[in-house]
């Protein structure tokens, strides 16, 4: 599909072939990005309906906004689900350029690959379990908690389960972040949504109790710089509540929303005329020295 787009769809590629000045690169990157962002919900909905709903498609509705229309094409008519999609697509649209998917889009784009190719590369990064699969891992772990100790649990029961998870060498998914050092604002947004629309849902109540229990335990271990919940600690429970139970599809939702952020960054890269990215290399001696220090515990 990417090669097809490159031949017939990318305005940037066509302009580049015709020798457009570098100062104009951003304009054609902008056009490609808008076209791609506009097409993604329909493509993503097609995948969902084909894989999970027997192939019966739902046509887009011209009277709905971007998020609501996406939910509509998936087959969800509840206005609250439409509101959730507006929230989800907004808070997942961008973060900072250092995460895997955003950085990959920019690295590939720095070679003047068009936005279609660059975005496809970023989605391969998003598919990794340490990046785009995080909310699935959270939901899976929450279901394990329910299976073992139930939904209506005491604080002490939950503390014991969290310690059990940590002592087994595992992490509590959905907690901690490489950059943030406080509760993720995107988690707070979702929590406020849940308090408004599903305050009595057992899984939401469990998520809320985890918010009380997990951070103090992680701080007690002395190994965690940020013990607070991130965006992934909440989203799976919300999507499941409104009927989107196919966890393997969650990354597709993430990808559709991430397009708005990463492609905006790509447009700026071309507008600023940033050069091709070329990471620094290291020598064999550096690798050996690094390994020795790690082995020595330094």
């Amino acid at each position: 599909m990417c090669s097809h787009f490159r031949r017939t769809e990318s305005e940037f590629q066509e302009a580049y072939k015709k020798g457009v000045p570098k100062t104009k690169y951003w304009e054609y990157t902008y056009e490609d990005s808008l076209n791609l962002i506009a097409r993604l919900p329909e493509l993503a909905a097609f995948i969902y309906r084909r894989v999970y709903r027997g192939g019966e498609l739902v046509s887009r509705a011209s009277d709905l906004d971007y998020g609501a229309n996406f939910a509509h094409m998936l087959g969800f008519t509840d206005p609250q689900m439409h509101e959730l999609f507006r929230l989800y697509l907004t808070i997942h649209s961008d973060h900072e350029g250092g995460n895997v998917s955003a950085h990959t889009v920019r690295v590939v784009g720095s070679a003047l690959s068009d936005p279609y190719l660059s975005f496809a590369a970023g989605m391969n990064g998003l598919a990794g379990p340490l990046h785009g699969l995080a909310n699935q891992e959270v939901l899976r772990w929450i279901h394990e908690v329910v299976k073992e100790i139930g939904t209506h649990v005491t604080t002490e029961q939950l503390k014991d389960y969290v310690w059990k998870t940590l002592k087994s060498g595992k992490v509590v998914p959905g907690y901690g972040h490489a950059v943030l050092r406080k509760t993720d604002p995107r988690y707070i947004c979702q929590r406020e949504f849940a308090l408004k629309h599903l305050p009595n849902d057992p899984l939401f109540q469990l998520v809320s109790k985890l918010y009380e229990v997990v951070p103090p335990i992680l701080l007690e271990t002395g190994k965690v710089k940020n013990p607070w919940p991130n965006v992934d600690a909440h989203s799976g429970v919300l999507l499941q509540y409104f009927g989107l139970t196919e966890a393997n599809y969650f990354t597709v939702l993430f990808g559709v929303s991430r397009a708005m952020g990463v492609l905006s960054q790509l447009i700026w890269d071309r507008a600023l005329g940033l050069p091709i990215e070329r990471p620094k290399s290291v020598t064999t001696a550096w690798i050996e020295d690094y390994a020795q220090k790690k082995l020595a515990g330094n």
Side-chain angles (χ1 to χ4, degrees):
M1 180 175 287
C2 287
S3 61
H4 167 74
F5 278 134
R6 187 174 187 182
R7 288 195 305 271
T8 64
E9 297 289 340
S10 173
E11 295 190 24
F12 176 84
Q13 281 294 334
E14 288 302 311
Y16 184 83
K17 290 176 185 177
K18 294 176 181 177
V20 66
K22 290 183 179 180
T23 55
K24 297 288 187 180
Y25 284 175
W26 75 269
E27 296 181 15
Y28 298 95
T29 301
Y30 175 79
E31 292 300 329
D32 275 355
S33 297
L34 285 183
N35 289 336
L36 180 52
I37 290 169
R39 290 166 174 162
L40 280 173
E42 196 162 5
L43 175 60
F46 173 84
I47 293 170
Y48 179 81
R49 299 295 300 183
R50 187 72 180 269
V51 174
Y52 300 112
R53 293 293 183 267
E56 183 180 351
L57 304 182
V58 179
S59 299
R60 62 179 178 271
S62 59
D63 60 329
L64 295 177
D65 59 69
Y66 191 86
N69 200 33
F70 186 15
H72 163 77
M73 289 188 290
L74 292 178
F76 298 101
T77 58
D78 188 339
Q80 291 184 7
M81 182 59 145
H82 291 184
E83 184 179 346
L84 175 59
F85 261 60
R86 295 185 191 101
L87 173 65
Y88 185 96
L89 293 176
T90 300
I91 65 177
H92 286 82
S93 64
D94 203 4
H95 190 17
E96 37 74 40
N99 65 75
V100 171
S101 57
H103 185 60
T104 301
V105 171
R106 299 179 73 179
V107 169
V108 175
S110 75
L112 298 187
S113 297
D114 65 57
Y116 295 97
L117 296 175
S118 302
F119 181 72
M123 293 305 95
N124 287 328
L126 194 66
L130 294 182
H131 188 25
L133 300 188
N135 61 350
Q136 296 179 36
E137 298 291 340
V138 171
L139 192 58
R140 185 179 299 113
W141 185 77
I142 288 175
H143 282 303
E144 289 175 359
V145 174
V146 172
K147 183 178 180 180
E148 185 158 335
I149 61 176
T151 52
H152 301 290
V153 298
T154 65
T155 300
E156 290 306 313
Q157 286 177 307
L158 203 51
K159 285 181 179 179
D160 290 342
Y161 191 87
V162 171
W163 275 115
K164 177 184 174 181
T165 298
L166 295 173
K167 289 177 180 179
S168 68
K170 300 177 182 178
V171 300
V172 178
Y175 281 77
H177 195 277
V179 178
L180 297 174
R181 292 295 177 265
K182 61 180 181 179
T183 300
D184 192 329
R186 299 169 299 174
Y187 174 93
I188 298 298
C189 289
Q190 293 177 96
R191 175 172 172 77
E192 291 174 352
F193 179 92
L195 286 170
K196 177 181 178 182
H197 294 296
L198 49 141
N200 299 317
D201 176 63
L203 288 185
F204 166 60
Q205 293 180 344
L206 180 58
V207 167
S208 294
K209 191 162 289 188
L210 285 167
Y211 188 21
E212 300 174 11
V213 167
V214 174
I217 291 177
L218 293 180
L219 284 174
E220 189 176 337
T221 67
K223 300 178 181 179
V224 180
K225 293 181 179 179
N226 173 26
W228 309 108
N230 57 51
V231 64
D232 300 304
H234 218 312
S235 56
V237 167
L238 295 179
L239 292 167
Q240 180 177 275
Y241 177 83
F242 287 104
L244 187 53
T245 58
E246 298 84 3
N248 284 338
Y249 189 76
F250 291 174
T251 309
V252 181
L253 299 182
F254 198 166
V256 173
S257 63
R258 183 51 55 95
M260 290 183 276
V262 299
L263 292 174
S264 296
Q265 294 180 31
L266 191 62
I267 294 166
W268 272 108
D269 288 354
R270 298 290 73 77
L272 296 172
L274 298 185
I276 189 171
E277 288 200 30
R278 194 178 296 274
K280 292 182 179 180
S281 299
V282 297
T283 64
T284 304
W286 184 95
I287 295 173
E288 291 174 348
D289 181 62
Y290 179 82
Q292 288 173 358
K293 287 180 179 178
K294 282 294 182 181
L295 289 172
N298 295 326

